[in-house]
Amino acid sequence: MTAAVQPGYAGATAEAIRHHYDLSNDFFALWLDESMTYTCALWDDGPDAASDTLEAAQRRKLDHLVEGARAAGAGRVLDVGCGWGSLLERLVSVHGVGHAVGLTLSDSQAELLRGRALPRTEVRVENWLDHEPAEPYDAIVSIGAFEHFARTGLSRAERVAAYREFFERCRSWLPAGGRIALQTNVKGNNVRMDKQTVRDLMFIIDHIFPESEIPALAEVLEAAEKRFDVVRLRNDPDHYARTCGEWLNRLTARRESAVAIAGEKNVADYERYLGATVGHFTNRHLGLARIVFEAV
Ligand SMILES: C[S@@+](CC[C@H](N)C(=O)[O-])C[C@H]1O[C@@H](n2cnc3c(N)ncnc32)[C@H](O)[C@@H]1O
């Protein structure tokens, strides 16, 4: 993919984002949970862990991040990378938020979401770099979008600069003490990779998420320095292994319908990507960071 990169923006282009998220809403609806949340869930790790469901684990994740951002009951909340809107819906229907704004680069996501006409919700097809809110926000949540904020092939310094730009913007939209709840994949610390793992990672970069490079946790934290304090941090790779495994099971169970919608090649590519990703989290080549930042 050779789309032009916006000046001042070092993340994946809108074309690269649409390559993935605009494949087909019906295709994603076949194997995501009913809320169409497309990020790692938060699984129950208590005595009932085995009987937990993807639906319940996704709700638990959304509520965990809402609580971290102190977004419940807030006047204005921003969701950077809102997907098909599961967080926006929960903010206005369960958590009493006055006005929820969601940013996405995917036309298909925005179309589906606008069709649902959620109350007190604004959906914008807009890069966070171009976002100019009329009023500040009380809280910001971003789930599974940060992975797209630095293009493949940048140096570490360039990635940190790109992430710093994001934190600068967020800081300018929040009051002192305002919070960001951020969930993102991060590079894992098991650097021993066999050839198949390397091939699968290259396949995912080339065919599934073009132009996107996953950050190292240290890069995320460095980029937020002097703007935000970290007040909570957890790493849940096993939660993403279980989530991807559940998505793969659902896709396999509905394979015939999936092929009818998206074609054999796409379905085979998604089976390979989801299966490989279960392995990457299990083997700690990837981690899953949930971080709460507080503006200083
Ligand atoms: C994996 S989806 C996650 C969606 C949702 N947060 C969820 O949990 O289901 C990533 C989202 O980030 C959005 N995104 C990626 N880069 C973006 C950018 N620069 N500005 C705004 N949205 C962006 C995509 O359009 C997509 O909606």
Side-chain angles (χ1 to χ4, degrees):
M1 190 154 304
T2 53
V5 174
Q6 260 181 275
Y9 176 65
T13 57
E15 288 82 352
I17 295 295
R18 289 181 194 134
H19 166 83
H20 187 85
Y21 299 101
D22 284 5
L23 176 57
S24 156
N25 287 341
D26 291 342
F27 171 68
F28 286 107
L30 274 183
W31 50 275
L32 297 177
D33 72 306
E34 65 196 5
S35 72
M36 291 185 76
T37 302
Y38 188 23
T39 41
C40 177
L42 181 59
W43 296 92
D44 184 2
D45 54 8
D48 298 328
S51 61
D52 200 11
T53 64
L54 181 61
E55 283 71 14
Q58 290 294 14
R59 283 194 296 273
R60 187 179 302 112
K61 179 268 297 291
L62 296 176
D63 291 348
H64 173 79
L65 295 170
V66 168
E67 186 269 324
R70 293 191 183 138
R76 286 173 53 82
V77 178
L78 176 66
D79 180 3
V80 183
C82 63
W84 288 277
S86 60
L87 177 74
L88 296 174
E89 173 165 29
R90 213 145 170 89
L91 286 171
V92 293
S93 66
V94 175
H95 294 291
V97 165
H99 187 73
V101 177
L103 307 182
T104 175
L105 293 179
S106 158
D107 293 318
S108 307
Q109 290 179 334
E111 191 182 302
L112 185 139
L113 196 38
R114 287 183 182 135
R116 295 175 62 198
L118 295 172
R120 309 190 308 286
T121 301
E122 188 184 334
V123 183
R124 304 175 69 95
V125 178
E126 185 175 73
N127 197 316
W128 55 261
L129 193 81
D130 301 322
H131 188 51
E132 291 181 2
E135 292 171 54
Y137 291 103
D138 299 300
I140 298 175
V141 181
S142 184
I143 317 174
F146 201 92
E147 296 89 332
H148 299 301
F149 294 173
R151 258 174 294 141
T152 326
L154 299 182
S155 67
R156 183 187 192 282
E158 288 168 329
R159 275 198 303 279
V160 172
Y163 302 144
R164 195 183 301 281
E165 183 74 41
F166 172 72
F167 284 112
E168 293 276 355
R169 298 296 165 114
C170 290
R171 180 64 191 86
S172 73
W173 300 328
L174 286 171
R179 288 182 169 195
I180 310 175
L182 178 75
Q183 174 170 310
T184 179
N185 292 359
V186 288
K187 288 178 178 129
N189 283 309
N190 176 8
V191 291
R192 292 178 302 271
M193 286 190 193
D194 59 21
K195 283 185 180 171
Q196 190 54 46
T197 304
V198 175
R199 282 190 202 105
D200 286 336
L201 284 171
M202 289 309 300
F203 162 78
I204 290 170
I205 291 171
D206 284 341
H207 298 285
I208 304 294
F209 293 112
E211 297 184 9
S212 296
E213 177 158 345
I214 288 172
L217 178 60
E219 294 165 3
V220 184
L221 302 182
E222 185 179 333
E225 272 176 12
K226 298 191 168 64
R227 296 288 174 272
F228 290 93
D229 273 332
V230 173
V231 295
R232 185 196 293 170
L233 167 59
R234 54 185 285 179
N235 180 24
D236 289 323
D238 293 329
H239 289 237
Y240 223 158
R242 185 170 175 186
T243 305
C244 289
E246 184 70 30
W247 289 338
L248 180 57
N249 289 342
R250 290 173 183 224
L251 177 57
T252 307
R254 296 172 179 171
R255 196 173 200 287
E256 216 174 297
S257 309
V259 170
I261 294 169
E264 172 61 37
K265 180 171 185 318
N266 278 321
V267 174
D269 281 357
Y270 272 68
E271 286 171 331
R272 177 174 173 188
Y273 134 61
L274 291 172
T277 306
V278 172
H280 296 153
F281 284 106
T282 306
N283 297 331
R284 305 301 193 249
H285 293 125
L286 290 176
L288 187 276
R290 311 191 214 250
I291 314 171
V292 178
F293 292 98
E294 190 169 285
V296 292

